[in-house]
């Protein structure tokens, strides 16, 4: 059935497994290969609860995190274009809990305690955070088209100060870490007037360690400052982020004003429209990349489970059989950084695969090392074989599934608002300018281009490529760009330009200098009238042969 399993008995692998879908394959690999290793070495106590069927079958999720009044709930309202149950918006801290906004045929709210016992929802393991958290966790269900493609998680607004962290009654950072491991996109929202990163916000961002590829940043309410201030705000934001997101790559920041109200400053309107389009494109593509993301997360989890097994078994091996266990335990905890280095060399493991050493030292204080299991190479080898052989098969299946039935992109709500029609991004601008006009748009400035054209002494109504090149190079555009323009405007491919072709070249140069992209093929509305294959060309442009 699938080429990657045909090399073993009857189209099945040696474990008798046959995967009909990528989701089923991921679930079986986890259950049969990774879960036994995790369970043996107490992985779920140290790192992350076991995965369930709903974790593999759920829709892509987007997690919104930010300080209070940065527009998180308003952002969701903007995407959905409708209110949702449990929504509260205001300048003060309004959202005091987590809200999972999901699709449902009937509008309503499911409280946290009921939500974590629903096997169809991917939240069952949140039960471990207790009633203090569950009382502040709800699922808001509405029949909205956007939510057929993604689910959105709204979080409490983060305040500054130690009091806020203590008064929550649950470990806020750990809850965020739990969500961060399972969502497809993490969006950090900032207000143009609130760029400071409080201690709790810093801890929240650090909880996403290892999930850097999922993080995007939105600078909201950017229309409330002018373009000069916006440059300073953007620079200050990047400086603040650089202190808490420890990656060599620059995190992607989207600028805009994500609510359905008039812009206060319109001078950066084009920038905001382009940024909104890019952000929407990123979110819309999540269903297409969901299977690949889950596969990537499964690989990361398998690598961490292996490293954890090596750490636990090493600690067990170093423990004395009778006396001095407590003293030895304290010594091993102090030596944990050194143990990490030993295991790196012994098993050829990257330093980046190891868990946070400080956190691991704190957790190890509560365990009896002598009761840890010894190293069972059979479990390790099973995971190694899975990573070496089975993952490539699932990659092939992902490509096959996408080619046969590509997942639908997120649609509805704000995603439908301006894709088509005159309010589409870039409509009537750049290369598309004049597409809905009766006259040839180049003719509006042709009298200026004709002065240049006839000053070059055309022969038989045309100028040579050499003369055209001299004039075109005055634009200072690179030769690669000018070469592309030449291919577009030399309609009859004779190596020379008539007055219309030259005017078109000047028009495309102007378009490029204004910051727009050039097309790969010349749009019909830009084709010079005398080069069109129809009898009514002169109606569109009254060509004068002066």
């Amino acid at each position: 059935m699938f080429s990657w399993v045909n090399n073993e008995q009857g189209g099945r692998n040696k474990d008798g497994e046959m995967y009909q879908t990528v989701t089923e394959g991921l679930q079986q690999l986890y259950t049969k290969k990774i879960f036994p290793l995790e369970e043996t070495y107490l992985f779920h106590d140290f790192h992350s609860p076991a995965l369930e069927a709903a974790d593999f079958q759920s829709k892509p999720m987007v997690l919104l995190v930010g300080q209070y009044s940065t527009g998180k709930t308003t952002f969701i309202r903007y995407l959905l274009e409708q209110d949702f149950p449990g929504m509260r918006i205001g300048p003060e801290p309004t959202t005091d809990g987590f809200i999972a906004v999901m699709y449902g045929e009937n509008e309503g709210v499911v409280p946290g305690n009921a939500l974590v016992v629903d096997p169809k929802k991917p939240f069952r393991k949140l039960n471990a955070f207790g009633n203090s958290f569950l009382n502040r966790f709800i699922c808001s269900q509405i029949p909205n088209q956007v939510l057929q493609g993604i689910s959105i998680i709204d979080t409490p607004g983060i305040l500054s100060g130690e009091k806020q962290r203590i008064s929550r009654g649950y470990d806020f950072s750990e809850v965020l870490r739990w969500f961060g491991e399972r969502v497809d996109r993490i969006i950090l929202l900032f207000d143009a007037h609130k760029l400071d990163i409080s201690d709790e916000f810093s801890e929240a961002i650090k909880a996403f360690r290892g999930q850097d590829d999922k993080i995007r940043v939105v600078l909201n309410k950017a229309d409330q400052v002018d373009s000069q201030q916006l440059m300073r705000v953007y620079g200050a934001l990047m400086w603040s982020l650089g202190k808490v997101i420890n990656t060599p790559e620059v995190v992607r920041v989207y600028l805009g004003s994500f609510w359905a109200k008039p812009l206060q400053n319109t001078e950066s309107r084009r920038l905001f429209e382009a940024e909104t389009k890019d952000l929407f494109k990123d979110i819309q593509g999540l269903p297409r990349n969901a299977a690949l993301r889950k596969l990537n997360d499964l690989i990361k989890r398998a690598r961490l489970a292996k490293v954890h097994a090596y750490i636990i078994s090493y600690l067990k091996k170093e423990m004395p059989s009778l006396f001095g266990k407590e003293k030895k335990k304290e010594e091993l905890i102090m030596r944990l950084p050194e143990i990490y280095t030993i295991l790196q060399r012994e098993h050829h493991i990257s330093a980046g695969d190891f868990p946070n050493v400080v956190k691991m030292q704190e957790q190890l204080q509560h365990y009896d090392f002598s009761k840890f299991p010894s190293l069972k190479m059979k479990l390790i080898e099973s995971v190694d074989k899975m990573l070496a052989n089975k993952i490539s098969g699932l990659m092939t299946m992902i490509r096959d599934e996408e080619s046969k039935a590509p997942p639908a992109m997120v649609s509805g709500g704000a995603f439908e608002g301006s894709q088509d029609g005159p309010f589409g991004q870039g409509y009537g601008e750049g290369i598309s300018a004049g597409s809905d006009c009766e006259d040839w748009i180049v003719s509006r400035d042709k009298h200026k281009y004709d002065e240049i054209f006839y000053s070059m002494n055309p022969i038989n109504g045309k100028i040579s490529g050499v003369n055209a090149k001299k004039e075109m190079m005055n634009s200072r555009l690179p030769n690669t760009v000018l070469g592309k323009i030449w291919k577009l405007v030399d309609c009859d491919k004779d190596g020379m330009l008539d007055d219309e072709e030259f005017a078109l070249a000047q028009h495309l140069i102007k378009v490029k200098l204004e910051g727009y992209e050039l097309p790969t093929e010349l749009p019909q509305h830009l084709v010079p009238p005398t080069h069109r294959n129809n009898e009514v060309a002169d109606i569109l442009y009254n060509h004068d042969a002066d």
Side-chain angles (χ1 to χ4, degrees):
M1 183 175 184
F2 299 111
S3 60
W4 66 283
V5 294
N6 284 340
N7 59 354
E8 300 196 49
Q9 308 163 6
R12 297 178 180 272
N13 59 31
K14 70 177 184 179
D15 298 319
E17 299 162 340
M18 178 66 78
Y19 310 138
Q20 302 297 326
T21 65
V22 173
T23 300
E24 182 186 337
L26 289 169
Q27 194 172 336
Q28 286 195 34
L29 287 182
Y30 174 73
T31 304
K32 297 183 178 181
K33 307 296 181 183
I34 303 174
F35 179 76
L37 181 67
E38 291 181 350
E39 190 175 38
T40 301
Y41 293 98
L42 310 176
F43 179 90
H44 307 136
D45 295 339
F46 282 84
H47 301 288
S48 179
L51 300 178
E52 296 186 332
D55 291 308
F56 296 98
Q57 297 164 4
S58 63
K59 295 171 186 172
M61 292 191 288
V62 177
L63 179 68
L64 300 180
V65 181
Q67 301 190 97
Y68 78 94
S69 195
T70 53
K72 297 185 299 299
T73 307
T74 306
F75 181 80
I76 300 174
R77 172 70 178 77
Y78 176 76
L79 294 183
L80 303 182
E81 292 190 341
Q82 74 173 94
D83 295 345
F84 55 89
M87 182 184 83
R88 288 178 60 209
I89 296 174
E92 76 282 3
T94 50
T95 304
D96 61 350
F98 286 77
I99 303 177
V101 187
M102 307 181 78
Y103 182 83
E105 291 294 338
N106 299 312
E107 186 173 315
V109 171
V110 181
N113 282 289
L115 196 57
V116 296
V117 296
D118 185 350
K120 295 181 181 179
K121 296 285 193 297
F123 306 122
R124 283 162 60 92
K125 297 299 180 179
L126 285 170
N127 188 56
F129 293 103
N131 277 329
S132 293
F133 167 73
L134 296 179
N135 289 335
R136 294 177 175 84
F137 180 43
I138 63 171
C139 176
S140 177
Q141 294 184 321
I142 50 172
N144 185 284
Q145 189 179 350
V146 174
L147 299 176
Q148 290 182 320
I150 58 172
S151 299
I152 307 174
I153 313 295
D154 194 8
T155 61
I158 299 173
L159 301 177
S160 58
E162 188 70 17
K163 181 181 178 182
Q164 174 71 7
R165 187 176 352 188
I166 296 170
S167 64
R168 290 195 188 274
Y170 59 90
D171 194 329
F172 182 64
S173 294
E174 280 301 303
V175 174
L176 288 181
R177 189 172 73 86
W178 188 94
F179 275 110
E181 291 173 351
R182 288 159 176 79
V183 300
D184 296 72
R185 185 67 72 237
I186 301 167
I187 297 181
L188 305 179
L189 275 99
F190 288 86
D191 185 326
H193 296 101
K194 284 184 188 152
L195 297 179
D196 60 308
I197 298 179
S198 65
D199 293 342
E200 191 183 31
F201 197 8
S202 177
E203 289 299 314
I205 295 174
K206 289 175 182 175
F208 300 132
R209 178 179 178 265
Q211 314 296 335
D212 306 301
D213 57 316
K214 299 179 182 180
I215 295 177
R216 303 290 186 271
V217 175
V218 169
L219 178 57
N220 200 10
K221 306 180 184 179
D223 65 316
Q224 296 182 6
V225 295
D226 60 35
S227 56
Q228 184 181 16
Q229 291 172 324
L230 186 59
M231 289 175 58
R232 293 172 180 164
V233 166
Y234 180 82
L237 175 60
M238 298 304 292
W239 179 81
S240 297
L241 288 172
K243 296 194 296 181
V244 292
I245 300 180
N246 296 318
T247 57
E249 301 86 7
V250 177
V251 66
R252 178 64 164 98
V253 177
Y254 299 92
L255 311 175
S257 180
F258 298 96
W259 62 352
K261 293 192 177 182
L263 297 176
Q264 293 188 21
N265 282 294
T266 59
E267 52 192 22
S268 299
R269 184 184 187 108
R270 272 185 57 195
L271 171 64
F272 296 156
E273 289 175 353
E275 293 286 284
T276 300
K277 181 183 177 183
D278 288 349
L279 178 60
F280 280 11
K281 186 177 179 180
D282 184 69
I283 296 174
Q284 283 183 293
L286 292 179
R288 291 183 180 272
N289 301 320
L292 200 58
R293 194 276 304 169
K294 288 173 183 174
L295 177 62
N296 185 55
D297 284 353
L298 192 72
I299 294 170
K300 285 197 289 187
R301 189 179 179 102
R303 292 165 70 94
L304 180 58
K306 270 182 56 183
V307 170
H308 180 76
Y310 284 132
I311 295 171
I312 295 299
S313 58
Y314 184 91
L315 296 175
K316 163 71 174 178
K317 184 181 70 174
E318 293 295 307
M319 288 296 288
S321 55
L322 292 175
F323 304 109
K325 291 183 179 180
E326 276 302 313
K327 186 176 179 182
K328 187 63 175 179
K329 172 183 170 180
E330 292 300 321
E331 178 194 330
L332 289 171
I333 290 175
M334 289 293 294
R335 288 183 51 227
L336 194 59
E338 180 189 337
I339 293 170
Y340 277 15
T341 306
I342 293 170
L343 293 175
Q344 284 178 46
R345 289 198 302 264
E346 186 177 338
H347 299 287
H348 309 289
I349 303 170
S350 168
D353 288 346
F354 282 80
N356 182 278
V357 66
V358 176
K359 185 178 178 184
M360 194 70 176
Q361 286 173 322
E362 292 174 359
Q363 291 174 307
L364 286 170
Q365 297 283 356
H366 310 294
Y367 291 87
D368 183 352
F369 292 4
S370 61
K371 294 181 179 179
F372 283 165
S374 302
L375 185 62
K376 298 178 181 178
M377 284 307 299
K378 187 176 180 181
L379 292 174
I380 298 287
E381 288 169 359
S382 178
V383 172
D384 283 337
K385 281 185 180 179
M386 178 203 76
L387 293 172
N389 304 321
K390 308 292 175 62
I391 297 301
S392 59
L394 283 178
M395 288 287 292
T396 303
M397 284 184 67
I398 289 174
R399 288 191 292 269
D400 289 345
E401 283 190 3
E402 287 181 349
S403 62
K404 292 174 184 175
M409 295 181 70
V410 179
S411 59
F415 298 103
E416 298 289 334
S418 62
Q419 290 182 353
D420 302 311
F423 293 98
Q425 204 266 331
Y427 185 92
E429 300 175 1
I431 209 67
S432 66
S435 59
D436 55 357
C437 298
E438 291 186 2
D439 64 330
W440 187 41
I441 190 171
V442 181
S443 66
R444 299 174 186 178
D445 292 319
K446 189 171 182 294
H447 62 282
K448 294 189 296 184
Y449 304 144
D450 280 350
E451 290 181 11
I452 303 172
F453 178 79
Y454 288 109
S455 70
M456 290 186 284
N457 301 318
I459 300 174
N460 296 326
K462 294 192 175 187
I463 58 172
S464 66
V466 174
N467 286 337
K469 178 182 177 181
K470 290 178 182 177
E471 179 59 36
M472 292 171 67
M473 289 189 70
N474 289 334
S475 66
R476 300 185 181 181
L477 288 171
N479 282 352
T480 51
V481 175
L482 294 175
K484 185 175 182 178
I485 290 174
W486 177 271
K487 288 180 180 179
L488 291 171
V489 303
D490 187 12
C491 300
D492 50 15
K493 309 301 179 190
D494 63 353
M496 296 185 289
L497 300 183
D498 61 24
D499 60 328
E500 289 184 343
E501 291 172 324
F502 178 78
L504 177 59
Q506 295 298 309
H507 177 75
L508 293 182
I509 287 172
K510 178 184 174 185
V511 166
K512 186 63 182 176
L513 290 174
E514 288 175 350
Y516 297 99
E517 292 302 316
L518 296 172
T520 54
E521 293 183 5
L522 193 64
Q524 185 61 33
H525 71 277
L526 287 181
V527 176
T530 58
H531 292 274
R532 295 178 186 174
N533 295 321
N534 62 67
E535 298 177 357
V536 294
D538 287 335
I539 297 175
L540 298 178
Y541 170 63
N542 186 17
H543 179 57
D544 187 358
D546 289 340

